[in-house]
Amino acid sequence: MASSKAVPSRLRAVATSTQKNFDKLPLEILDKILSYLDAYALFSMSHTNKLFYQLASNNVLWKKLYIGDICNNEKQKAKIVNVQLLSKKPRDHAAGYWKELHVKTVAHREMKKWKRLLGPINSHTGLPSQTEQVLRNLRVTWELTVTDMSGRESTLELSWSRFSETSLTLCWCGGDRLPNYEEIFSLQLHGVRRIAFSCPGLKKPSKRSLVATLDMQPLTKCAQVIGQDQFVLLKLLQPGTIIGLWRDGGSVAFIIFTLHFYRLVERSTRGSHDCSYVEPIIQPPFDDIDPEYGLHGYKLHIVLHNTVCKLMSESFSQLFCHRAHISDGWIQLTAISRTDSSQHIQLSGKPVLPWRCEALQGTVENCCIMSLTLLDEFGNQFSRVTTPISMEPEEAAVSYDYDGEHYLIQYEDSNIQAKMQLEKMTAKKYFVVSLVVYVSVLFVNKHFSRDY
């Protein structure tokens, strides 16, 4: 009996022999053979070798497929044939022109289809109700490109992901594929969409869209440690991004991105910083009819979760701020008052951040992920943030309602601040006793006076 090691060698010999036979055929015969293939098979054939890449990018073949596949009614077909397709002969275009046009058109039609299926806007979050389902149906995944100091790039496929109510958590495990922490020059996050070719097993074309770029040089110096366990140390590089370092050597265990759902479909499929979206023009807030208020009618939706479960999901409406409470350039919106125990909310679990990486897993205490969405009085997206956060011990005044440990969750950037106070009653019982959001006056004015 022949050795099993000889089987791959025989297969390679057969493939080489077949390729040599094809190489002997005239190009006219090969073109004729390829003309019987549909777009899906032709695209896969183009990834066989250099010869078939050239042959399967033939403009004549792809023009024929474009007319047959894309122009699905006689009126549209006649219009394109008479106007667009006859503007140049197929051979006058660069090789691959009609192939690229076909793939782009299929992707565009698919995108229009799924944009209609994003569903109605949720009144609490101001977000489309079917964001997760659309991303799944569009076969969107995410890749992380890591560049080291020498300029060498490594692109990592996603290790695992988790959808939450208003956000998405993505994780890439390190292993030996990542440079040491100090040697990372930049990180690039791309959304990758596989085009809907229906034939199973065939290679599918994909489109990469830049979602985020991180210059690691300044971030490495100011990264904040938000937690640790016996194996890893968690560093917050910037809001929404943490890196886990092995405590015994400082090498990278994993990198986690948290992304808010706001325009996530567009950002992951059509490139980063898409500026084509235009929001309705809104009147400035300080022209309110009621002079007693500085802002009113605002809505806040906040979710606390980790990589496994949801800890809290609450919406607060009719938030307001009196003009007298606008101080130091910040507008105060109180969602939960410490003095009103009827507003206090119990978390459904303990604030921890479980992680898993290759053969190891662990849990970092007093950490979780916060996804905050603020809507203005018109129900439009005003501000949002999704980021891992830490829960720090706090000295608090004596309370007759709670006699446990006091903790503070705090987030701050140039536009918005969030402060949440918690009381720990038992090992698994935590209460949110205060939640206040502060919005920059400059940010408010900018939001309401944009020149569209």
PDB file of all heavy atoms in Angstrom, residues 141-144 155-160 171-173 177 194:
ATOM      1  N   THR A 141     -17.090  40.871   8.853  1.00  0.00           N
ATOM      2  CA  THR A 141     -16.193  40.517   9.944  1.00  0.00           C
ATOM      3  C   THR A 141     -15.180  41.650  10.078  1.00  0.00           C
ATOM      4  O   THR A 141     -15.262  42.655   9.372  1.00  0.00           O
ATOM      5  CB  THR A 141     -15.491  39.166   9.694  1.00  0.00           C
ATOM      6  OG1 THR A 141     -14.730  38.809  10.855  1.00  0.00           O
ATOM      7  CG2 THR A 141     -14.579  39.237   8.484  1.00  0.00           C
ATOM      8  N   TRP A 142     -14.245  41.505  10.988  1.00  0.00           N
ATOM      9  CA  TRP A 142     -13.284  42.578  11.241  1.00  0.00           C
ATOM     10  C   TRP A 142     -11.879  41.992  11.326  1.00  0.00           C
ATOM     11  O   TRP A 142     -11.686  40.885  11.849  1.00  0.00           O
ATOM     12  CB  TRP A 142     -13.625  43.334  12.525  1.00  0.00           C
ATOM     13  CG  TRP A 142     -14.885  44.128  12.394  1.00  0.00           C
ATOM     14  CD1 TRP A 142     -14.996  45.455  12.060  1.00  0.00           C
ATOM     15  CD2 TRP A 142     -16.229  43.656  12.562  1.00  0.00           C
ATOM     16  NE1 TRP A 142     -16.321  45.820  12.010  1.00  0.00           N
ATOM     17  CE2 TRP A 142     -17.105  44.750  12.316  1.00  0.00           C
ATOM     18  CE3 TRP A 142     -16.783  42.422  12.887  1.00  0.00           C
ATOM     19  CZ2 TRP A 142     -18.482  44.634  12.392  1.00  0.00           C
ATOM     20  CZ3 TRP A 142     -18.164  42.304  12.954  1.00  0.00           C
ATOM     21  CH2 TRP A 142     -18.996  43.407  12.718  1.00  0.00           C
ATOM     22  N   GLU A 143     -10.922  42.727  10.778  1.00  0.00           N
ATOM     23  CA  GLU A 143      -9.522  42.322  10.810  1.00  0.00           C
ATOM     24  C   GLU A 143      -8.701  43.401  11.513  1.00  0.00           C
ATOM     25  O   GLU A 143      -9.010  44.583  11.413  1.00  0.00           O
ATOM     26  CB  GLU A 143      -8.968  42.119   9.398  1.00  0.00           C
ATOM     27  CG  GLU A 143      -9.573  40.942   8.659  1.00  0.00           C
ATOM     28  CD  GLU A 143      -9.032  40.818   7.248  1.00  0.00           C
ATOM     29  OE1 GLU A 143      -8.358  41.759   6.776  1.00  0.00           O
ATOM     30  OE2 GLU A 143      -9.301  39.779   6.612  1.00  0.00           O
ATOM     31  N   LEU A 144      -7.647  42.955  12.181  1.00  0.00           N
ATOM     32  CA  LEU A 144      -6.751  43.881  12.868  1.00  0.00           C
ATOM     33  C   LEU A 144      -5.365  43.795  12.227  1.00  0.00           C
ATOM     34  O   LEU A 144      -4.770  42.720  12.151  1.00  0.00           O
ATOM     35  CB  LEU A 144      -6.651  43.535  14.358  1.00  0.00           C
ATOM     36  CG  LEU A 144      -5.810  44.492  15.212  1.00  0.00           C
ATOM     37  CD1 LEU A 144      -6.457  45.876  15.247  1.00  0.00           C
ATOM     38  CD2 LEU A 144      -5.630  43.942  16.623  1.00  0.00           C
ATOM     39  N   THR A 155      -1.644  40.897   9.712  1.00  0.00           N
ATOM     40  CA  THR A 155      -3.098  41.037   9.733  1.00  0.00           C
ATOM     41  C   THR A 155      -3.706  39.825  10.417  1.00  0.00           C
ATOM     42  O   THR A 155      -3.484  38.683   9.994  1.00  0.00           O
ATOM     43  CB  THR A 155      -3.664  41.175   8.307  1.00  0.00           C
ATOM     44  OG1 THR A 155      -3.131  42.368   7.710  1.00  0.00           O
ATOM     45  CG2 THR A 155      -5.187  41.283   8.339  1.00  0.00           C
ATOM     46  N   LEU A 156      -4.441  40.074  11.483  1.00  0.00           N
ATOM     47  CA  LEU A 156      -5.013  39.010  12.305  1.00  0.00           C
ATOM     48  C   LEU A 156      -6.503  38.876  12.042  1.00  0.00           C
ATOM     49  O   LEU A 156      -7.224  39.876  11.963  1.00  0.00           O
ATOM     50  CB  LEU A 156      -4.787  39.297  13.788  1.00  0.00           C
ATOM     51  CG  LEU A 156      -3.361  39.628  14.238  1.00  0.00           C
ATOM     52  CD1 LEU A 156      -3.340  39.871  15.739  1.00  0.00           C
ATOM     53  CD2 LEU A 156      -2.404  38.519  13.856  1.00  0.00           C
ATOM     54  N   GLU A 157      -6.941  37.643  11.904  1.00  0.00           N
ATOM     55  CA  GLU A 157      -8.369  37.381  11.817  1.00  0.00           C
ATOM     56  C   GLU A 157      -8.976  37.391  13.217  1.00  0.00           C
ATOM     57  O   GLU A 157      -8.306  37.093  14.207  1.00  0.00           O
ATOM     58  CB  GLU A 157      -8.637  36.040  11.130  1.00  0.00           C
ATOM     59  CG  GLU A 157      -8.238  36.022   9.668  1.00  0.00           C
ATOM     60  CD  GLU A 157      -8.673  34.758   8.970  1.00  0.00           C
ATOM     61  OE1 GLU A 157      -9.228  33.863   9.643  1.00  0.00           O
ATOM     62  OE2 GLU A 157      -8.459  34.653   7.744  1.00  0.00           O
ATOM     63  N   LEU A 158     -10.243  37.727  13.280  1.00  0.00           N
ATOM     64  CA  LEU A 158     -10.950  37.874  14.550  1.00  0.00           C
ATOM     65  C   LEU A 158     -10.941  36.566  15.336  1.00  0.00           C
ATOM     66  O   LEU A 158     -11.223  35.496  14.796  1.00  0.00           O
ATOM     67  CB  LEU A 158     -12.388  38.311  14.260  1.00  0.00           C
ATOM     68  CG  LEU A 158     -13.255  38.754  15.424  1.00  0.00           C
ATOM     69  CD1 LEU A 158     -12.677  40.001  16.078  1.00  0.00           C
ATOM     70  CD2 LEU A 158     -14.672  39.037  14.935  1.00  0.00           C
ATOM     71  N   SER A 159     -10.598  36.661  16.637  1.00  0.00           N
ATOM     72  CA  SER A 159     -10.619  35.473  17.501  1.00  0.00           C
ATOM     73  C   SER A 159     -12.023  35.193  18.003  1.00  0.00           C
ATOM     74  O   SER A 159     -12.498  34.053  17.973  1.00  0.00           O
ATOM     75  CB  SER A 159      -9.664  35.667  18.681  1.00  0.00           C
ATOM     76  OG  SER A 159      -8.333  35.829  18.250  1.00  0.00           O
ATOM     77  N   TRP A 160     -12.710  36.228  18.495  1.00  0.00           N
ATOM     78  CA  TRP A 160     -14.109  36.077  18.890  1.00  0.00           C
ATOM     79  C   TRP A 160     -14.769  37.442  18.962  1.00  0.00           C
ATOM     80  O   TRP A 160     -14.107  38.477  19.004  1.00  0.00           O
ATOM     81  CB  TRP A 160     -14.247  35.335  20.230  1.00  0.00           C
ATOM     82  CG  TRP A 160     -13.543  35.946  21.412  1.00  0.00           C
ATOM     83  CD1 TRP A 160     -12.342  35.587  21.926  1.00  0.00           C
ATOM     84  CD2 TRP A 160     -14.015  37.028  22.247  1.00  0.00           C
ATOM     85  NE1 TRP A 160     -12.012  36.377  23.007  1.00  0.00           N
ATOM     86  CE2 TRP A 160     -13.032  37.268  23.241  1.00  0.00           C
ATOM     87  CE3 TRP A 160     -15.171  37.807  22.266  1.00  0.00           C
ATOM     88  CZ2 TRP A 160     -13.162  38.239  24.214  1.00  0.00           C
ATOM     89  CZ3 TRP A 160     -15.294  38.784  23.242  1.00  0.00           C
ATOM     90  CH2 TRP A 160     -14.307  38.990  24.199  1.00  0.00           C
ATOM     91  N   CYS A 171     -12.322  40.771  19.705  1.00  0.00           N
ATOM     92  CA  CYS A 171     -11.088  40.373  20.386  1.00  0.00           C
ATOM     93  C   CYS A 171     -10.161  39.638  19.430  1.00  0.00           C
ATOM     94  O   CYS A 171     -10.599  38.777  18.655  1.00  0.00           O
ATOM     95  CB  CYS A 171     -11.393  39.490  21.591  1.00  0.00           C
ATOM     96  SG  CYS A 171      -9.907  38.932  22.475  1.00  0.00           S
ATOM     97  N   TRP A 172      -8.869  39.992  19.490  1.00  0.00           N
ATOM     98  CA  TRP A 172      -7.820  39.288  18.769  1.00  0.00           C
ATOM     99  C   TRP A 172      -6.799  38.789  19.787  1.00  0.00           C
ATOM    100  O   TRP A 172      -6.273  39.574  20.583  1.00  0.00           O
ATOM    101  CB  TRP A 172      -7.126  40.216  17.776  1.00  0.00           C
ATOM    102  CG  TRP A 172      -7.991  40.578  16.614  1.00  0.00           C
ATOM    103  CD1 TRP A 172      -8.056  39.966  15.403  1.00  0.00           C
ATOM    104  CD2 TRP A 172      -8.934  41.649  16.571  1.00  0.00           C
ATOM    105  NE1 TRP A 172      -8.985  40.589  14.599  1.00  0.00           N
ATOM    106  CE2 TRP A 172      -9.533  41.628  15.287  1.00  0.00           C
ATOM    107  CE3 TRP A 172      -9.345  42.626  17.477  1.00  0.00           C
ATOM    108  CZ2 TRP A 172     -10.511  42.542  14.913  1.00  0.00           C
ATOM    109  CZ3 TRP A 172     -10.318  43.531  17.110  1.00  0.00           C
ATOM    110  CH2 TRP A 172     -10.888  43.488  15.841  1.00  0.00           C
ATOM    111  N   CYS A 173      -6.536  37.489  19.779  1.00  0.00           N
ATOM    112  CA  CYS A 173      -5.564  36.916  20.696  1.00  0.00           C
ATOM    113  C   CYS A 173      -4.174  36.990  20.085  1.00  0.00           C
ATOM    114  O   CYS A 173      -4.002  36.871  18.864  1.00  0.00           O
ATOM    115  CB  CYS A 173      -5.923  35.469  21.015  1.00  0.00           C
ATOM    116  SG  CYS A 173      -7.512  35.315  21.880  1.00  0.00           S
ATOM    117  N   ARG A 177       1.943  35.864  17.151  1.00  0.00           N
ATOM    118  CA  ARG A 177       1.691  36.659  15.946  1.00  0.00           C
ATOM    119  C   ARG A 177       1.805  38.156  16.200  1.00  0.00           C
ATOM    120  O   ARG A 177       1.784  38.953  15.270  1.00  0.00           O
ATOM    121  CB  ARG A 177       0.292  36.344  15.403  1.00  0.00           C
ATOM    122  CG  ARG A 177       0.112  34.907  14.953  1.00  0.00           C
ATOM    123  CD  ARG A 177      -1.348  34.603  14.690  1.00  0.00           C
ATOM    124  NE  ARG A 177      -2.152  34.717  15.899  1.00  0.00           N
ATOM    125  CZ  ARG A 177      -3.487  34.645  15.922  1.00  0.00           C
ATOM    126  NH1 ARG A 177      -4.145  34.505  14.788  1.00  0.00           N
ATOM    127  NH2 ARG A 177      -4.141  34.738  17.060  1.00  0.00           N
ATOM    128  N   ARG A 194     -17.815  40.195   2.905  1.00  0.00           N
ATOM    129  CA  ARG A 194     -17.780  39.220   1.831  1.00  0.00           C
ATOM    130  C   ARG A 194     -18.964  39.453   0.909  1.00  0.00           C
ATOM    131  O   ARG A 194     -20.102  39.500   1.354  1.00  0.00           O
ATOM    132  CB  ARG A 194     -17.845  37.799   2.379  1.00  0.00           C
ATOM    133  CG  ARG A 194     -16.811  37.504   3.456  1.00  0.00           C
ATOM    134  CD  ARG A 194     -15.401  37.583   2.931  1.00  0.00           C
ATOM    135  NE  ARG A 194     -14.420  37.308   3.985  1.00  0.00           N
ATOM    136  CZ  ARG A 194     -13.125  37.422   3.821  1.00  0.00           C
ATOM    137  NH1 ARG A 194     -12.624  37.808   2.675  1.00  0.00           N
ATOM    138  NH2 ARG A 194     -12.293  37.161   4.814  1.00  0.00           N
TER     139      ARG A 194
END
